Amino acid sequence: MSIFEYNGSALVAMVGKNCFAIASDRRLGVQLQTIATDFQRISKIHDRLFLGLSGLATDAQTLYQRLVFRHKLYQLREERDMKPETFANLVSAILYEKRFGPYFCQPVIAGLGDEDKPFICTMDSIGAKELAKDFVVAGTASESLYGACESMFKEDMEPEELFETVSQALLSSVDRDCLSGWGGHVYVVTPTEVKERILKGRMD
Amino acid sequence: MECVFGLVGNDFAVVAADTSAVHSILVHKSNEDKIMILDSHKLVAASGESGDRVQFTEYIQKNVALYQFRNGIPLTTAAAANFTRGELATALRKNPYSVNILLAGYDKETGPSLYYIDYIATLHKVDKGAFGYGSYFSLAMMDRHYHSGMTVEEAIDLVDKCIAEIRSRLVVAPPNFVIKIVDKDGAREYAWRESVKDAAVASA
């Protein structure tokens, strides 16, 4: 089993009309044993920027702490929040620093940029950015997620429809992956509010 | 074959650990206490490489005491857990410790808590947790019988059920266990469950 599959994870981010959704599964496992069913994979960097980290949980926790630290320093110096594009560059740089001893994580970054334009991107464990206009996926269930998102995605979905689409894509994909699942965590972010919802799926 | 497990009750947390010190096929002693009293209201149940276990837990204990001396107030359980994770994470890519830890504590403001910290520094707050081969049996038993807000009697009964299951179903089951509890009155030893007593040393 690869080190990326040690804990199990599933992450997806999708773009809608002036909004975005980011969703994850809730399982924390140690190879085939499940340790917890309430693990948080998505963290808020600021009100309009969310970061999901898939892969090895210990590196996700370490990386998250380093990124929050860097963002807080940025806020102190610049007296404003980081733009999503800038944050993505920061994550990419921090990952490439460890090129020959990497963090075993695949981040998914989702935020609202200038003029409330939604921004999503993912990268591999050494910081190769992949920008997308529609959706990005990561984790052990990523292959299923690619298929589900490709077929369910539509342009310019309103927040409610986006929530339904992301939830269905996530749940159907994790149901085919034994290392991820045990429910879902969905954040739908518009310029005015952040809606956090917990999904109940197949609890296995 | 080390078995460590614990759970959170209504205003206490209880941890149990086996007490065999084993090297390859030899049992050095069967009354080795693997649950350290970290400070007045914290317990650390550790399993893994015995040298690392003792050295690392003592290091954490002394640093927690140092914080209290310097600052006049004790660390919260969450802070101690995060400190422990930080030390494991820093050492992970240099000189890793092979120690799995269940950290149980009681704080006046937040009540009892249990933290699962595995040897690669994955930290998660849990209601019930276990390490080792015994975890297959104790986690299943706790999944079946655990509910939130258990009384001490119910929790100890569940701990005994787990020990009975480990004794009957694990091929090289450890014979003896120690149970320690932490609540508003502090951290203390609750009981031993011995099925084999070490022979008394004959006088010369």
PDB file of all heavy atoms in Angstrom, chain A residues 3 6 8 14 29 38 42 45 60 89 95 105 110 133 147 149 173 176 185:
ATOM      1  N   ILE A   3       2.180   5.145   0.507  1.00  0.00           N
ATOM      2  CA  ILE A   3       2.110   6.037   1.668  1.00  0.00           C
ATOM      3  C   ILE A   3       0.950   7.031   1.523  1.00  0.00           C
ATOM      4  O   ILE A   3       0.383   7.491   2.525  1.00  0.00           O
ATOM      5  CB  ILE A   3       3.466   6.767   1.873  1.00  0.00           C
ATOM      6  CG1 ILE A   3       3.499   7.518   3.192  1.00  0.00           C
ATOM      7  CG2 ILE A   3       3.752   7.731   0.741  1.00  0.00           C
ATOM      8  CD1 ILE A   3       3.699   6.659   4.381  1.00  0.00           C
ATOM      9  N   TYR A   6      -2.249   5.512   3.070  1.00  0.00           N
ATOM     10  CA  TYR A   6      -2.148   5.010   4.444  1.00  0.00           C
ATOM     11  C   TYR A   6      -3.375   5.408   5.268  1.00  0.00           C
ATOM     12  O   TYR A   6      -3.945   4.592   5.983  1.00  0.00           O
ATOM     13  CB  TYR A   6      -0.883   5.573   5.084  1.00  0.00           C
ATOM     14  CG  TYR A   6      -0.565   5.018   6.445  1.00  0.00           C
ATOM     15  CD1 TYR A   6      -0.033   3.743   6.603  1.00  0.00           C
ATOM     16  CD2 TYR A   6      -0.773   5.776   7.588  1.00  0.00           C
ATOM     17  CE1 TYR A   6       0.269   3.236   7.846  1.00  0.00           C
ATOM     18  CE2 TYR A   6      -0.472   5.285   8.841  1.00  0.00           C
ATOM     19  CZ  TYR A   6       0.058   4.009   8.965  1.00  0.00           C
ATOM     20  OH  TYR A   6       0.362   3.519  10.200  1.00  0.00           O
ATOM     21  N   GLY A   8      -6.213   7.251   3.869  1.00  0.00           N
ATOM     22  CA  GLY A   8      -7.455   7.293   3.090  1.00  0.00           C
ATOM     23  C   GLY A   8      -8.074   8.679   3.110  1.00  0.00           C
ATOM     24  O   GLY A   8      -8.108   9.338   4.142  1.00  0.00           O
ATOM     25  N   MET A  14     -15.543  22.381  -6.515  1.00  0.00           N
ATOM     26  CA  MET A  14     -16.280  22.648  -7.757  1.00  0.00           C
ATOM     27  C   MET A  14     -16.656  24.106  -7.835  1.00  0.00           C
ATOM     28  O   MET A  14     -16.967  24.730  -6.814  1.00  0.00           O
ATOM     29  CB  MET A  14     -17.564  21.822  -7.742  1.00  0.00           C
ATOM     30  CG  MET A  14     -17.791  21.028  -8.980  1.00  0.00           C
ATOM     31  SD  MET A  14     -19.336  20.180  -8.908  1.00  0.00           S
ATOM     32  CE  MET A  14     -18.807  18.534  -9.228  1.00  0.00           C
ATOM     33  N   GLY A  29      -8.282   6.546   8.753  1.00  0.00           N
ATOM     34  CA  GLY A  29      -7.961   5.142   8.936  1.00  0.00           C
ATOM     35  C   GLY A  29      -6.486   4.925   9.081  1.00  0.00           C
ATOM     36  O   GLY A  29      -5.676   5.833   8.831  1.00  0.00           O
ATOM     37  N   ASP A  38     -14.910  11.228  12.064  1.00  0.00           N
ATOM     38  CA  ASP A  38     -15.234  12.654  12.156  1.00  0.00           C
ATOM     39  C   ASP A  38     -13.988  13.483  11.905  1.00  0.00           C
ATOM     40  O   ASP A  38     -13.802  14.539  12.511  1.00  0.00           O
ATOM     41  CB  ASP A  38     -15.826  12.977  13.546  1.00  0.00           C
ATOM     42  CG  ASP A  38     -14.883  12.597  14.675  1.00  0.00           C
ATOM     43  OD1 ASP A  38     -13.813  12.010  14.410  1.00  0.00           O
ATOM     44  OD2 ASP A  38     -15.213  12.892  15.831  1.00  0.00           O
ATOM     45  N   ILE A  42     -10.848  19.614   5.658  1.00  0.00           N
ATOM     46  CA  ILE A  42     -10.914  20.937   5.039  1.00  0.00           C
ATOM     47  C   ILE A  42     -10.782  21.973   6.138  1.00  0.00           C
ATOM     48  O   ILE A  42     -11.448  21.892   7.163  1.00  0.00           O
ATOM     49  CB  ILE A  42     -12.255  21.131   4.309  1.00  0.00           C
ATOM     50  CG1 ILE A  42     -12.368  20.094   3.189  1.00  0.00           C
ATOM     51  CG2 ILE A  42     -12.355  22.532   3.730  1.00  0.00           C
ATOM     52  CD1 ILE A  42     -13.721  20.066   2.545  1.00  0.00           C
ATOM     53  N   ILE A  45      -8.820  29.094   5.749  1.00  0.00           N
ATOM     54  CA  ILE A  45      -7.651  29.957   5.897  1.00  0.00           C
ATOM     55  C   ILE A  45      -8.135  31.371   6.207  1.00  0.00           C
ATOM     56  O   ILE A  45      -7.639  32.033   7.113  1.00  0.00           O
ATOM     57  CB  ILE A  45      -6.779  29.942   4.630  1.00  0.00           C
ATOM     58  CG1 ILE A  45      -6.317  28.506   4.326  1.00  0.00           C
ATOM     59  CG2 ILE A  45      -5.595  30.876   4.766  1.00  0.00           C
ATOM     60  CD1 ILE A  45      -5.373  27.922   5.346  1.00  0.00           C
ATOM     61  N   ALA A  60      -0.504  16.292   6.489  1.00  0.00           N
ATOM     62  CA  ALA A  60      -1.576  17.276   6.281  1.00  0.00           C
ATOM     63  C   ALA A  60      -1.657  18.204   7.487  1.00  0.00           C
ATOM     64  O   ALA A  60      -1.800  19.420   7.339  1.00  0.00           O
ATOM     65  CB  ALA A  60      -2.915  16.571   6.062  1.00  0.00           C
ATOM     66  N   ASN A  89       0.242  29.723  -4.887  1.00  0.00           N
ATOM     67  CA  ASN A  89       1.683  29.826  -5.141  1.00  0.00           C
ATOM     68  C   ASN A  89       2.492  29.527  -3.891  1.00  0.00           C
ATOM     69  O   ASN A  89       3.535  28.871  -3.951  1.00  0.00           O
ATOM     70  CB  ASN A  89       2.029  31.227  -5.647  1.00  0.00           C
ATOM     71  CG  ASN A  89       1.811  31.348  -7.127  1.00  0.00           C
ATOM     72  OD1 ASN A  89       2.009  30.401  -7.873  1.00  0.00           O
ATOM     73  ND2 ASN A  89       1.369  32.515  -7.561  1.00  0.00           N
ATOM     74  N   LEU A  95       5.734  23.184  -0.829  1.00  0.00           N
ATOM     75  CA  LEU A  95       5.845  21.765  -1.177  1.00  0.00           C
ATOM     76  C   LEU A  95       7.131  21.498  -1.950  1.00  0.00           C
ATOM     77  O   LEU A  95       7.798  20.485  -1.725  1.00  0.00           O
ATOM     78  CB  LEU A  95       4.629  21.317  -1.999  1.00  0.00           C
ATOM     79  CG  LEU A  95       3.320  21.207  -1.233  1.00  0.00           C
ATOM     80  CD1 LEU A  95       2.181  20.917  -2.188  1.00  0.00           C
ATOM     81  CD2 LEU A  95       3.390  20.134  -0.168  1.00  0.00           C
ATOM     82  N   CYS A 105       1.170  14.781   0.685  1.00  0.00           N
ATOM     83  CA  CYS A 105      -0.163  15.365   0.675  1.00  0.00           C
ATOM     84  C   CYS A 105      -0.488  15.841  -0.711  1.00  0.00           C
ATOM     85  O   CYS A 105       0.396  16.231  -1.468  1.00  0.00           O
ATOM     86  CB  CYS A 105      -0.220  16.621   1.551  1.00  0.00           C
ATOM     87  SG  CYS A 105      -0.001  16.285   3.240  1.00  0.00           S
ATOM     88  N   ALA A 110      -9.497  26.232  -2.658  1.00  0.00           N
ATOM     89  CA  ALA A 110     -10.686  26.835  -3.252  1.00  0.00           C
ATOM     90  C   ALA A 110     -10.936  28.168  -2.579  1.00  0.00           C
ATOM     91  O   ALA A 110     -10.914  28.268  -1.357  1.00  0.00           O
ATOM     92  CB  ALA A 110     -11.890  25.915  -3.079  1.00  0.00           C
ATOM     93  N   LYS A 133     -11.148  25.166 -14.444  1.00  0.00           N
ATOM     94  CA  LYS A 133     -12.273  26.102 -14.440  1.00  0.00           C
ATOM     95  C   LYS A 133     -13.516  25.454 -13.856  1.00  0.00           C
ATOM     96  O   LYS A 133     -14.462  26.143 -13.498  1.00  0.00           O
ATOM     97  CB  LYS A 133     -12.567  26.554 -15.870  1.00  0.00           C
ATOM     98  CG  LYS A 133     -11.477  27.393 -16.469  1.00  0.00           C
ATOM     99  CD  LYS A 133     -11.989  28.134 -17.707  1.00  0.00           C
ATOM    100  CE  LYS A 133     -10.982  29.132 -18.218  1.00  0.00           C
ATOM    101  NZ  LYS A 133      -9.715  28.510 -18.660  1.00  0.00           N
ATOM    102  N   GLY A 147     -14.598  10.772 -12.720  1.00  0.00           N
ATOM    103  CA  GLY A 147     -15.718  10.313 -13.538  1.00  0.00           C
ATOM    104  C   GLY A 147     -17.037  10.918 -13.104  1.00  0.00           C
ATOM    105  O   GLY A 147     -17.817  11.418 -13.938  1.00  0.00           O
ATOM    106  N   CYS A 149     -17.642  13.668 -11.306  1.00  0.00           N
ATOM    107  CA  CYS A 149     -17.714  15.116 -11.533  1.00  0.00           C
ATOM    108  C   CYS A 149     -17.888  15.436 -13.012  1.00  0.00           C
ATOM    109  O   CYS A 149     -18.696  16.299 -13.390  1.00  0.00           O
ATOM    110  CB  CYS A 149     -16.459  15.802 -11.012  1.00  0.00           C
ATOM    111  SG  CYS A 149     -16.342  15.799  -9.230  1.00  0.00           S
ATOM    112  N   SER A 173     -18.679   8.433  -5.290  1.00  0.00           N
ATOM    113  CA  SER A 173     -17.276   8.039  -5.484  1.00  0.00           C
ATOM    114  C   SER A 173     -16.718   7.333  -4.272  1.00  0.00           C
ATOM    115  O   SER A 173     -16.031   6.309  -4.411  1.00  0.00           O
ATOM    116  CB  SER A 173     -16.426   9.267  -5.778  1.00  0.00           C
ATOM    117  OG  SER A 173     -16.938   9.937  -6.889  1.00  0.00           O
ATOM    118  N   ARG A 176     -17.349   3.620  -3.707  1.00  0.00           N
ATOM    119  CA  ARG A 176     -16.569   2.628  -4.460  1.00  0.00           C
ATOM    120  C   ARG A 176     -15.143   2.547  -3.952  1.00  0.00           C
ATOM    121  O   ARG A 176     -14.310   1.867  -4.544  1.00  0.00           O
ATOM    122  CB  ARG A 176     -16.562   3.008  -5.958  1.00  0.00           C
ATOM    123  CG  ARG A 176     -17.826   2.610  -6.676  1.00  0.00           C
ATOM    124  CD  ARG A 176     -17.938   1.116  -6.801  1.00  0.00           C
ATOM    125  NE  ARG A 176     -19.123   0.697  -7.553  1.00  0.00           N
ATOM    126  CZ  ARG A 176     -19.459  -0.574  -7.763  1.00  0.00           C
ATOM    127  NH1 ARG A 176     -18.719  -1.540  -7.275  1.00  0.00           N
ATOM    128  NH2 ARG A 176     -20.541  -0.863  -8.461  1.00  0.00           N
ATOM    129  N   HIS A 185     -18.369  16.066   4.268  1.00  0.00           N
ATOM    130  CA  HIS A 185     -18.334  17.419   4.830  1.00  0.00           C
ATOM    131  C   HIS A 185     -18.350  18.355   3.644  1.00  0.00           C
ATOM    132  O   HIS A 185     -17.450  18.286   2.818  1.00  0.00           O
ATOM    133  CB  HIS A 185     -16.989  17.583   5.546  1.00  0.00           C
ATOM    134  CG  HIS A 185     -17.111  18.169   6.889  1.00  0.00           C
ATOM    135  ND1 HIS A 185     -16.687  17.526   8.013  1.00  0.00           N
ATOM    136  CD2 HIS A 185     -17.612  19.347   7.303  1.00  0.00           C
ATOM    137  CE1 HIS A 185     -16.918  18.283   9.049  1.00  0.00           C
ATOM    138  NE2 HIS A 185     -17.472  19.389   8.652  1.00  0.00           N
TER     139      HIS A 185
END
